[in-house]
């Protein structure tokens, strides 16, 4: 196939009809220019030879097409109607479809003015020079294609909170679709109890590993975990709604460290099955009943409805600790076992009884993992990141575990081990819930990072330089010395003597 065979034409019934078109108005193409690139901004600084190039993303593709309409046999030697049709198309509002011989079908906007050239010397032809820019985010209203502004998330915390709350409610529905209390043998009860024990042990280790939190915060979080864990007995295990809420409740101590007290308090006042009762989601939680109000104490009694941001150290270690919960439920001999434990012995499916037992454990594991990942996303958008790189690194860590959880849920749905017993561990409800959170979280984190300074590599000169002098030279702000030191531990051993010839990290603003 030659390059000519790969061209795209609006009409190609014959050689003379091979034309391009814009909004259906056809024309011949003489030549076409295209510009592509990225929106790079070059920053130059006094007494520094090397500039810093800031990449703000992909630039818009634009085209300049030189075309013409000409008298010929097909238009009875009269090009005027074709010329006027193309002029009308160029005058229309909004985006339009361009059939481009080299780039196929594109949605574009005319930029500025098209130029039309006609002369008596070259009679019977009109030359067009048309500058276009590639459009995106357009919608069709009636018969007109209009551009829409890109959606910007104004309140990142609220956007992620709302989506996570809906996802949590839907995941409880998914849990109830799998979790079977009608045929629960004593062996199944025992395996679930051991799974809860393993979850409790892992959560204690994860909570204790958080850096930057006050000892009193860790202590209160562990106390709340112990209280939730102590209330899970055989009777509660046999209640689908109450048990799913107990699994979620075991994570409330971590919610408290993240400053999300209002959520915790609301759950306690309205009862364990409050979302089912108040219509936040619908599903098989038919046994939902109000509980006696448990008046919270200490940090749980706070009436804060919206958590503020918290420091980068405690925030990032909290999120990373929660992401470890994505390994909860792995078999003891699995390569994916976390350093924090949380293993569950795998059940061999050899009978209907063992199939029910294994399916119930799958439901428990997935409910715990979903709870952890939802809290991790809510915490991640509350961290006071110091740089763009830090925010994007956190985003990538969370997205990696979101994708791993989606993969597990997908693999569960494909598990044929239960088919012979008419049992399924497929949970499309939870899959859809987690999947819907992913783009909201990614967009929020990108917008958070976009407003933050970038990290630069700075070569320390051979002469002796102090961190105080470096802070003043780069920022004209002596208070920035602490940031330089903390960002380069352990390389900087003494603030008065930076290691000459070595490279340190500093922020570009």
């Amino acid at each position: 196939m030659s390059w000519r065979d790969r061209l795209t034409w609006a009409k190609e019934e014959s050689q003379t009809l091979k034309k391009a078109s814009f909004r259906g108005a056809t024309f011949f193409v003489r030549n076409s220019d295209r510009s592509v690139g990225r929106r790079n901004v070059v920053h130059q600084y006094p007494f520094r030879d090397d500039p810093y190039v800031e990449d703000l993303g992909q630039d818009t593709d634009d085209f300049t097409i030189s075309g013409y309409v000409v008298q010929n046999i097909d238009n009875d030697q009269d090009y005027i109607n074709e010329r006027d049709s193309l002029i009308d198309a160029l005058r229309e509002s909004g985006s339009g479809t361009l059939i481009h011989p080299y780039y196929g079908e594109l949605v574009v906007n005319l930029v500025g003015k098209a130029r039309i050239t006609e002369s008596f010397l070259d009679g019977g032809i009109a030359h067009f020079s048309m500058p276009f820019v590639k459009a995106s985010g357009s919608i069709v209203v009636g018969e007109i294609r209009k551009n829409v502004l890109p959606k910007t998330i104004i309140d990142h915390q609220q956007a992620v909170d709302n989506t996570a709350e809906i996802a949590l409610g839907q995941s409880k529905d998914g849990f109830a679709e799998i979790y079977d209390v009608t045929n629960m043998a004593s062996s199944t009860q025992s395996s679930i109890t051991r799974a809860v024990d393993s979850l409790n042990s892992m959560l204690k280790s994860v909570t204790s590993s958080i850096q930057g939190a006050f000892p009193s915060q860790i202590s209160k979080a562990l106390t709340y975990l112990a209280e939730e864990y102590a209330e899970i007995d055989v009777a509660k295990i046999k209640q689908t709604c109450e048990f799913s809420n107990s699994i979620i409740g075991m994570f409330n101590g971590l919610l408290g460290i993240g400053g999300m007290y209002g959520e915790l308090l609301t759950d306690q006042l309205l009862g364990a099955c409050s979302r089912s009762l108040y219509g936040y989601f619908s599903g098989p939680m038919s046994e939902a009943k109000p509980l006696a109000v448990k008046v919270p104490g200490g940090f749980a009694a706070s009436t804060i409805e919206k958590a503020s941001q918290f420091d980068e150290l405690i925030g990032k270690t909290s999120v990373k600790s929660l992401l470890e919960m994505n390994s909860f439920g792995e078999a003891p001999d699995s390569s994916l076992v976390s350093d924090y434990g949380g293993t569950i012995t795998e059940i061999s499916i050899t009978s209907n009884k063992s199939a029910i037992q294994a399916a119930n454990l799958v439901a428990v594991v997935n409910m715990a993992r979903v709870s952890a990942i939802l809290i991790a996303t809510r915490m991640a958008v509350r961290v006071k990141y110091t740089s763009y790189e830090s925010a994007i690194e956190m985003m990538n860590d969370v997205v990696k575990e979101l994708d791993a959880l989606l993969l597990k849920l997908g693999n569960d749905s494909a598990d044929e081990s239960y088919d012979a017993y008419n049992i399924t561990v497929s949970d499309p409800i939870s899959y859809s819930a987690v999947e819907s959170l992913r783009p909201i979280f990614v967009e929020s984190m990108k917008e958070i990072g976009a407003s933050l300074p970038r990290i630069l590599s700075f070569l320390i000169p051979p002469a002796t330089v102090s961190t105080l002098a470096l802070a003043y030279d780069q920022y004209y702000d002596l208070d920035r010395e602490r940031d330089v030191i903390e960002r380069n531990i352990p390389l900087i051993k003494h603030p008065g003597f930076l290691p000459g010839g070595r490279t340190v990290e500093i922020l570009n603003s």
Side-chain angles (χ1 to χ4, degrees):
M1 178 184 291
S2 72
W3 66 271
R4 291 183 177 85
D5 296 322
R6 300 184 63 179
L7 299 180
T8 303
W9 301 102
K11 292 185 178 182
E12 54 182 8
E13 295 85 37
S14 69
Q15 185 66 33
T16 59
L17 291 178
K18 285 188 175 181
K19 299 179 179 180
S21 71
F22 180 58
R23 291 198 175 100
T26 59
F27 56 92
F28 291 99
V29 175
R30 185 180 300 278
N31 56 61
S32 172
D33 294 329
R34 182 181 185 180
S35 297
V36 299
R38 300 191 66 80
R39 289 175 290 139
N40 290 326
V41 178
V42 178
H43 300 274
Q44 298 189 69
Y45 302 94
F47 309 111
R48 289 185 60 185
D49 295 334
D50 297 327
Y52 168 67
V53 181
E54 184 175 12
D55 190 340
L56 301 180
Q58 182 174 298
D59 208 343
T60 304
D61 291 1
D62 57 59
F63 310 83
T64 299
I65 297 179
S66 295
Y68 60 94
V69 294
V70 64
Q71 63 180 18
N72 54 59
I73 300 174
D74 299 305
N75 59 24
D76 296 327
Q77 305 299 328
D78 185 358
Y79 72 95
I80 299 299
N81 289 337
E82 291 184 3
R83 180 202 64 184
D84 292 345
S85 295
L86 184 53
I87 290 174
D88 290 341
L90 293 168
R91 282 175 168 165
E92 282 187 30
S93 172
S95 304
T97 300
L98 171 69
I99 306 295
H100 193 292
Y102 292 102
Y103 303 114
E105 183 174 322
L106 302 167
V107 177
V108 298
N109 278 84
L110 181 70
V111 180
K113 294 181 178 182
R115 296 184 63 84
I116 303 107
T117 304
E118 295 172 277
S119 72
F120 287 107
L121 182 61
D122 298 322
I125 185 171
H127 298 274
F128 287 77
S129 178
M130 298 167 286
F132 294 107
V133 63
K134 188 177 179 181
S136 62
S138 61
I139 59 173
V140 177
V141 180
E143 297 182 352
I144 301 175
R145 182 179 289 275
K146 295 185 176 181
N147 293 335
V148 294
L149 291 172
K151 293 182 179 179
T152 300
I153 299 175
I154 304 301
D155 189 333
H156 307 101
Q157 293 182 20
Q158 193 65 48
V160 172
D161 282 352
N162 290 344
T163 310
E165 281 300 297
I166 294 171
L168 186 63
Q170 291 172 335
S171 296
K172 289 163 72 175
D173 268 351
F175 173 85
E177 292 285 355
I178 299 173
Y179 194 71
D180 187 354
V181 297
T182 58
N183 300 299
M184 188 175 287
S186 58
S187 57
T188 301
Q189 296 173 23
S190 298
S191 65
I192 293 173
T193 300
R194 289 193 295 272
V196 172
D197 293 343
S198 182
L199 176 61
N200 177 63
S201 176
M202 188 176 190
L203 275 170
K204 284 198 292 185
S205 298
V206 163
T207 303
S208 301
S209 71
I210 295 174
Q211 302 176 33
F214 291 111
S216 59
Q217 288 178 289
I218 300 295
S219 176
K220 288 174 182 177
L222 292 173
T223 299
Y224 196 86
L225 171 61
E227 292 174 354
E228 288 290 331
Y229 170 64
E231 292 182 0
I232 301 176
D233 53 19
V234 173
K236 183 165 285 188
I237 287 174
K238 292 182 177 180
Q239 296 291 326
T240 305
C241 172
E242 293 184 14
F243 184 45
S244 67
N245 277 282
S246 292
I247 295 173
I248 297 168
M250 293 178 72
F251 290 85
N252 274 347
L254 288 167
L255 270 177
I257 290 179
M260 288 168 272
Y261 310 119
E263 167 75 14
L264 187 152
L265 179 63
T266 301
D267 285 349
Q268 290 181 331
L269 292 178
L270 296 180
C273 301
S274 58
R275 289 184 181 82
S276 304
L277 285 171
Y278 287 86
Y280 281 69
F281 71 101
S282 60
M285 299 292 197
S286 56
E287 83 278 12
K289 298 176 182 179
L291 300 181
V293 174
K294 179 175 69 175
V295 178
F299 80 113
S302 169
T303 57
I304 297 175
E305 293 184 358
K306 182 179 177 181
S308 59
Q309 289 184 306
F310 48 105
D311 288 339
E312 189 170 46
L313 178 61
I314 180 175
K316 294 188 74 170
T317 57
S318 295
V319 174
K320 289 184 177 181
S321 296
L322 277 163
L323 296 181
E324 287 287 332
M325 298 303 301
N326 220 23
S327 296
F328 170 66
E330 294 292 337
D333 59 349
S334 170
S335 61
L336 301 176
V337 172
S338 168
D339 293 338
Y340 299 105
T343 60
I344 296 177
T345 302
E346 192 173 355
I347 304 295
S348 297
I349 302 174
T350 57
S351 64
N352 187 70
K353 177 180 174 182
S354 60
I356 293 173
Q357 184 179 4
N360 279 351
L361 285 177
V362 169
V364 171
V365 169
N366 289 346
M367 188 76 255
R369 291 191 183 191
V370 170
S371 298
I373 204 75
L374 295 184
I375 296 176
T377 60
R378 298 178 65 185
M379 281 190 168
V381 295
R382 288 174 161 82
V383 177
K384 290 188 287 188
Y385 299 101
T386 55
S387 69
Y388 167 84
E389 287 80 4
S390 179
I392 298 305
E393 177 191 38
M394 187 84 274
M395 180 193 78
N396 290 335
D397 288 345
V398 175
V399 168
K400 177 183 176 182
E401 296 305 326
L402 276 169
D403 290 342
L405 178 56
L406 288 171
L407 179 62
K408 181 191 184 303
L409 294 171
N411 289 339
D412 288 347
S413 67
D415 193 339
E416 299 177 350
S417 306
Y418 302 87
D419 292 353
Y421 308 101
N422 198 28
I423 293 173
T424 180
V425 291
S426 176
D427 188 358
I429 302 174
S430 295
Y431 185 96
S432 177
V434 174
E435 188 179 39
S436 66
L437 175 62
R438 190 185 189 281
I440 301 296
F441 172 74
V442 169
E443 184 67 22
S444 295
M445 290 298 292
K446 284 184 176 179
E447 290 183 12
I448 289 171
S451 62
L452 297 172
R454 306 274 183 132
I455 294 177
L456 297 177
S457 294
F458 179 79
L459 181 64
I460 302 172
T464 301
V465 178
S466 68
T467 52
L468 197 64
L470 177 61
Y472 183 78
D473 288 343
Q474 295 299 315
Y475 310 116
Y476 301 103
D477 185 355
L478 297 178
D479 292 336
R480 297 289 295 274
E481 179 194 27
R482 180 178 177 182
D483 175 72
V484 174
I485 295 173
E486 292 179 347
R487 191 166 297 282
N488 293 280
I489 294 174
L491 178 62
I492 297 178
K493 302 185 182 302
H494 190 288
F497 304 95
L498 290 175
R502 301 289 296 275
T503 300
V504 295
E505 290 185 350
I506 62 174
L507 297 178
N508 71 329
S509 63

